Amino acid sequence: MSAELEQQLRAAFGRLPKPSREASARARSAALATLGPSERRSPGVLVLALAAVAFAVGAGAAALAATGNLRVDIGARRKPARPVPTRLSVPPGSHGLALVAGGKLWLATRNGLRIEGMPVSAAELSPRALYAVVGIGSSLVALAPGNRHPWVQKTDGRVVAASWSPDGLKIAYLVARRGGYELRMIEGDGSPDRSLVGAVSPLKPSWRSDSVAVAYVDAQGRAAVYDLGTGSRRTFDTRACGGITRAVAYAPRGRRLAVAGRSGLALVERWDARPGCVGFGSAETINAVGWLSPQTVLTLDTAPPRLGAASVLRPFRVGAGTIEPLESAGNSKKTLRAIAVSPAFRRLLVARASGRRVLELAIDPSPRDLLLSGGLRLERRLLRVRVSAAHVSVSWR
């Protein structure tokens, strides 16, 4: 036996699991007994005998591992990664969730309504996710469990956005028309459909908490409100605060309206008072806005180059006619496409691009940590789908 081969054998057997002291003694005695008296044993034969002992003990360990009596781990033990679901599930404590991405819908509700990859142009869940409305072709269609279609409304155009009122009785939606977009309203049971505003921007409307007024963006990029009680319209020109409006969002309680421009955030609280305003640098761009609580607004921004991140979630404290940024923020190396806050305002859901044509839904269980400089913690991933990450919207009830 060459010295090189002997070293290789020793190294290989050295990586085997160590046997017990009793098992080693028995194996050694049995091997030496087959070699005869000690005076006839050569060094090479002794090496072979020791190799046989190690092999026998290692084989016994492998056999025990195969029968389930012994577990053998080579190298450091790693915690297995949790697989990302490819089928949408409803997060605990909520009634339903709907995702529209790349013109397809993934939807799941507690009462049994489920859709996977259906082509749609828009979707929105009702309060408590009892129903859903989706844009299909040139129609607005209501969906319910049991493959029922409660009603279908012909729209003569593509539905690009929909918003269900907090009381569940009304749906505001946008329809693409030749040369522009129209804001319309239909009752939740599919009864009379009517036009509210003839020319608007293609951005999702937002209902006030009392379901009496709906905010939208007019064709000139200004925030506006249609009051159902009086039938009147009011316009708020906040373009000096970050440019044309990119999103509007009413607070979950009260009458505060957050208006996001390209590079600034405005707060409209009273008709006769000047809106509060926070401006950003030209390198930052607001893509979405929502409310973490009645006193906290959250924006989804394209991160400035200095952060070394793709997106940033930035919280703002809202006071009496004032709005001010908090120092904390949640940075993400992946591009965030949409955000949604849970019905109880305890968790935050983000849709993020993972690769060129992969979209993931993930939950931050403690979004209030953003207020304490804790950053963004996406601990639970709900869904991964292969789809274009453009034009993403989320409805969480």
Side-chain angles (χ1 to χ4, degrees), residues 124-151:
E124 173 81 345
L125 290 170
S126 71
R128 302 182 66 84
L130 298 176
Y131 301 93
V133 288
V134 298
I136 301 177
S138 295
S139 299
L140 183 68
V141 182
L143 303 176
N147 200 27
R148 294 185 294 114
H149 295 174
W151 51 263

Side-chain angles (χ1 to χ4, degrees), residues 223-362:
V225 173
Y226 187 94
D227 191 305
L228 299 177
T230 62
S232 61
R233 289 180 284 174
R234 291 182 180 269
T235 301
F236 304 93
D237 194 353
T238 60
R239 290 176 295 184
C241 185
I244 63 173
T245 303
R246 298 171 64 91
V248 291
Y250 262 118
R253 293 196 299 269
R255 301 193 173 201
R256 289 170 171 167
L257 177 66
V259 180
R262 183 183 183 279
S263 58
L265 182 65
L267 178 70
V268 176
E269 195 165 16
R270 293 175 53 184
W271 306 116
D272 55 352
R274 184 177 180 180
C277 175
V278 174
F280 300 154
S282 59
E284 301 177 56
T285 301
I286 298 178
N287 298 314
V289 62
W291 290 78
L292 271 179
S293 73
Q295 294 80 35
T296 311
V297 178
L298 185 67
T299 61
L300 169 57
D301 312 338
T302 300
R306 67 179 183 274
L307 289 183
S311 300
V312 58
L313 288 169
R314 198 181 308 277
F316 297 81
R317 180 74 70 187
V318 174
T322 63
I323 181 169
E324 57 182 12
L326 300 175
E327 294 183 0
S328 57
N331 300 329
S332 172
K333 293 184 178 180
K334 296 182 179 180
T335 301
L336 305 183
R337 297 295 187 183
I339 57 174
V341 182
S342 66
F345 299 96
R346 295 176 180 173
R347 291 169 293 170
L348 175 70
L349 184 143
V350 302
R352 60 182 180 179
S354 181
R356 296 183 61 182
R357 290 184 58 85
V358 176
L359 188 72
E360 290 183 348
L361 288 183

Side-chain angles (χ1 to χ4, degrees), residues 78-259:
R78 295 181 179 179
K79 185 177 180 180
R82 178 182 295 179
V84 182
T86 57
R87 193 179 190 199
L88 184 62
S89 60
V90 181
S94 53
H95 300 282
L97 183 63
L99 165 72
V100 176
K104 294 183 178 181
L105 170 65
W106 285 263
L107 182 149
T109 68
R110 289 285 176 203
N111 59 13
L113 183 59
R114 175 174 293 278
I115 297 173
E116 301 285 341
M118 184 174 75
V120 302
S121 57
E124 173 81 345
L125 290 170
S126 71
R128 302 182 66 84
L130 298 176
Y131 301 93
V133 288
V134 298
I136 301 177
S138 295
S139 299
L140 183 68
V141 182
L143 303 176
N147 200 27
R148 294 185 294 114
H149 295 174
W151 51 263
V152 176
Q153 175 66 36
K154 293 293 184 180
T155 57
D156 297 324
R158 184 171 58 93
V159 177
V160 298
S163 181
W164 214 303
S165 64
D167 62 10
L169 300 179
K170 299 173 285 292
I171 303 164
Y173 66 99
L174 301 181
V175 180
R177 301 297 190 199
R178 182 174 296 180
Y181 300 86
E182 180 184 8
L183 174 64
R184 300 186 65 86
M185 188 187 75
I186 189 171
E187 301 296 320
D189 60 2
S191 58
D193 173 75
R194 63 189 177 105
S195 175
L196 297 183
V197 184
V200 299
S201 295
L203 299 169
K204 185 175 181 177
S206 176
W207 285 93
R208 202 167 67 192
S209 60
D210 59 7
S211 300
V212 176
V214 60
Y216 61 97
V217 181
D218 71 9
Q220 288 73 46
R222 301 172 298 182
V225 173
Y226 187 94
D227 191 305
L228 299 177
T230 62
S232 61
R233 289 180 284 174
R234 291 182 180 269
T235 301
F236 304 93
D237 194 353
T238 60
R239 290 176 295 184
C241 185
I244 63 173
T245 303
R246 298 171 64 91
V248 291
Y250 262 118
R253 293 196 299 269
R255 301 193 173 201
R256 289 170 171 167
L257 177 66
V259 180

Side-chain angles (χ1 to χ4, degrees), residues 17 57-74:
V57 174
L64 286 172
T67 61
N69 294 322
L70 177 66
R71 177 172 179 172
V72 179
D73 290 324
I74 305 298

